[in-house]
Every structure is written in C-alpha cells, then in structure tokens.
Amino acid sequence: MKRLLLILVSFLTLGIGASYAQLDEVSGKINRFLGKEKELQIVVIPNNATIKVNGSYYGEGSAKVKIKKKDFISLECSAPGYETLTTRVYGNDGRKTIEIKLKEDMLLKQTAESSVANNFFSVKVNKDLYKDDPKTGKRDAEAAWKMAHSVLLNYFEEIMTSDATSGFIQTPWLYKNYIESGKTLRHRVTIKESNIGSDLTFQIKLSSEMAPTQSRSQEEAFMETSRVMKEFESLISEFQTRLGEK
C-alpha cells in the first residue's frame, strides 16, 4: 500500500508540466501495481526472427510487450529456413520472459530450387555406348540403355516402364512427407530416346510435384514445383558424366 501511495504522490507531483512520456511511465507503474497491465519480454531463437504482435511488427530476436491481466495477444514469430510459429500469450501467464525456439523447416533444409525440374534436358550419348550397322542401318543401343537403367537405380528402387523398342523409360513416383511443413513431395524420371542428326540422344525429365500431406492420396492435389530433394541434385550431372560424350 505504501508503494502505491508513493507512486500516486509521484504522479501528482509531476503536475501539468510533466512530459507525456513521464506521465505514461507513472501511469504504467500504477496499472502494473493494480494488476491491470504487465510487461513481457519475448525472446526468440534464431535472433533474426521477426516478431509480430497482433499483426504489428515489434522487432527481431526480442521484444517487450505490454499486456493486460485479463487479455491476450496474438504472437507470430518467423525466420527464413524455419517454420512460422503462431500462438497466443495470455495476461495471466506467470512468466516475465517467454523464450521461443523456432523449428527448422525440413522441407527447405532438405530440398533445393532447381531450374531443370519438370523440363526435358538433352544428353548426347557417348558413341562408345551404341553401334550402327552400316549395312542395315539398325542401331544397337543396348549398352546405352543399360547405363541409363544403372543411373536410375541409384535413385529409385525399381523402374516402372522400360521399352527399348519405343525408346521410353519411366520410374514410379518416389514420395517423401514433410510432416512439420504439412507437404508431400514426389519425384519421377522419364527418358525418351531421340535422334538429333544421326546421333543417339536421350531426353531426360525430372518431374517434381508437391501437395498438402493430408491430400497426398488425391492425384489432382499435386502441383509442379521447382523444389527438388537434395539427393536428386546430382542426377543430371551423373547422366551427363556416365552417358554423355567425353
């Protein structure tokens, strides 16, 4: 009670000549003393995380927030490479400091942007891997096709379709769920044989599609994406190295 009287005396002593900042400071002390308002320290890891309170920007890494005892605030913390956290903090929370550690976004961590995703790229096959019969003009590309299968089996457990006669290979979809991000990513590879001039060329496409995890059983939910699992980043270079002209 004595403390409250001292605060009130300070308030009255300031008088009309006091600045608004001084009056606000004393008013805040009175409100906090009466339990109507308190100050919270918000600390977020990583320290470059953006902090928003009720939709308004409050700082990065840490922020001080005033809250009434019977009220709550909407808190949003976000940082590149991390999952955005949205929560409520209530005024009756007994803590003076609230520490938050954001979770790494595994989708962003384990995938990368790729300019070749969902586009055919050409590999001119090394002539040591196929032979043309000069009399009949018939081409024997068995070695090239075996090499293509060998590369694919480094990334997929099986090959769904393989038709050397029509010059077509396709893998099944390979799925990966990112539960925290609520996304499912899938990949497959398609190879088509083509002839540019008289040379054997493979047209190779790495398909990449994404869907909400809860809708992964619905084919129409998947949409093309430029993100590719990092283990597939070496796919193109491996085709070029093992199949391409030296």
Side-chain angles (χ1 to χ4, degrees):
M1 191 64 184
K2 289 182 179 180
R3 185 182 173 190
L4 176 59
L5 289 172
L6 288 172
I7 294 173
L8 289 171
V9 169
S10 298
F11 184 79
L12 294 172
T13 303
L14 286 172
I16 57 174
S19 67
Y20 286 115
Q22 290 174 311
L23 292 173
D24 285 344
E25 181 181 354
V26 174
S27 178
K29 288 180 179 178
I30 294 173
N31 285 332
R32 288 193 292 276
F33 184 86
L34 294 175
K36 293 181 180 179
E37 185 180 71
K38 69 175 185 178
E39 189 174 75
L40 282 176
Q41 178 79 25
I42 308 294
V43 179
V44 185
I45 299 172
N47 59 14
N48 66 333
T50 297
I51 300 172
K52 289 184 179 181
V53 177
N54 297 330
S56 298
Y57 174 81
Y58 261 62
E60 293 185 2
S62 65
K64 290 183 179 180
V65 180
K66 291 181 180 179
I67 183 172
K68 293 181 180 179
K69 191 170 184 179
K70 294 184 178 180
D71 204 354
F72 68 86
I73 58 170
S74 295
L75 180 65
E76 180 184 303
C77 305
S78 60
Y82 292 81
E83 295 177 32
T84 297
L85 181 141
T86 303
T87 188
R88 283 184 175 183
V89 176
Y90 290 85
N92 58 5
D93 191 312
R95 295 172 292 176
K96 293 182 179 180
T97 300
I98 295 179
E99 296 182 353
I100 295 170
K101 185 175 182 180
L102 298 182
K103 293 181 180 179
E104 286 188 278
D105 190 325
M106 299 310 291
L107 174 60
L108 294 177
K109 185 178 180 179
Q110 297 179 1
T111 65
E113 289 286 335
S114 174
S115 60
V116 300
N118 303 305
N119 295 306
F120 278 101
F121 63 94
S122 299
V123 173
K124 191 174 180 181
V125 179
N126 187 335
K127 291 184 179 179
D128 291 339
L129 295 175
Y130 68 94
K131 296 178 182 179
D132 293 325
D133 189 316
K135 294 182 179 180
T136 64
K138 188 176 179 180
R139 172 167 289 169
D140 178 3
E142 183 179 357
W145 281 93
K146 284 184 177 180
M147 184 66 75
H149 282 69
S150 177
V151 173
L152 288 176
L153 290 173
N154 286 334
Y155 301 87
F156 296 86
E157 292 184 357
E158 60 180 342
I159 293 172
M160 184 175 67
T161 304
S162 179
D163 187 348
T165 303
S166 60
F168 183 82
I169 305 175
Q170 191 170 69
T171 69
W173 285 108
L174 178 66
Y175 291 78
K176 187 165 185 178
N177 298 319
Y178 298 89
I179 304 301
E180 295 84 358
S181 303
K183 302 288 185 182
T184 295
L185 189 63
R186 69 179 186 179
H187 295 321
R188 76 176 175 190
V189 174
T190 301
I191 300 178
K192 296 179 180 179
E193 182 181 323
S194 64
N195 293 286
I196 299 176
S198 59
D199 298 317
L200 175 61
T201 303
F202 283 158
Q203 300 290 329
I204 304 169
K205 178 181 178 182
L206 173 61
S207 298
S208 181
E209 297 182 353
M210 191 182 294
T213 299
Q214 61 184 11
S215 304
R216 63 185 181 274
S217 60
Q218 302 171 18
E219 189 67 24
E220 64 274 13
F222 282 91
M223 305 291 289
E224 289 187 351
T225 177
S226 59
R227 297 208 71 85
V228 172
M229 298 177 205
K230 287 189 176 180
E231 51 263 45
F232 281 93
E233 285 187 294
S234 61
L235 176 73
I236 298 167
S237 61
E238 188 169 353
F239 269 116
Q240 292 170 332
T241 301
R242 297 180 64 184
L243 277 165
E245 286 190 325
K246 306 301 181 184

